[in-house]
């Protein structure tokens, strides 16, 4: 399943790599309005709340995504 639209994937990889290198983020723990891709091809904006933490030598990430309500 894909949730990230193709036009956002490059920026995501750059930002994620930068975070893993610097361990500094201006995005973690904040509400972010980001595009999401539904399996039927529709795209919409939803609020994302992304968390990250280091456990020993590895990183763990989680996201809460508040999808807009639909009639479906």
């Amino acid at each position: 399943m894909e949730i990230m639209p193709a036009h956002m994937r490059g920026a995501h990889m750059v930002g994620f790599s930068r975070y893993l290198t610097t361990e500094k983020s201006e995005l973690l723990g904040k509400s972010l309005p980001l595009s999401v891709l539904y399996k039927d091809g529709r795209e919409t904006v939803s609020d994302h709340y992304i968390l990250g933490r280091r456990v020993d030598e590895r990183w763990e990430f989680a996201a809460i995504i508040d999808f807009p309500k639909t009639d479906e």
Side-chain angles (χ1 to χ4, degrees):
M1 176 174 107
E2 293 181 1
I3 193 170
M4 185 182 303
H7 64 88
M8 295 182 64
R9 294 180 192 147
H12 175 263
M13 292 305 296
V14 168
F16 191 73
S17 295
R18 182 175 39 241
Y19 177 73
L20 292 177
T21 301
T22 66
E23 297 186 12
K24 295 179 183 175
S25 172
E26 296 181 19
L27 303 178
L28 291 179
K30 296 180 181 177
S31 180
L32 306 167
L34 299 171
S35 294
V36 293
L37 179 66
Y38 288 92
K39 65 182 176 182
D40 65 6
R42 289 178 298 134
E43 189 174 322
T44 190
V45 174
S46 66
D47 289 321
H48 292 62
Y49 186 78
I50 304 168
L51 304 168
R53 69 178 184 167
R54 190 175 193 142
V55 178
D56 298 322
E57 293 299 316
R58 64 172 220 191
W59 282 95
E60 294 179 347
F61 294 94
I64 298 168
I65 303 173
D66 185 15
F67 286 93
K69 301 217 183 309
T70 64
D71 294 334
E72 298 176 25

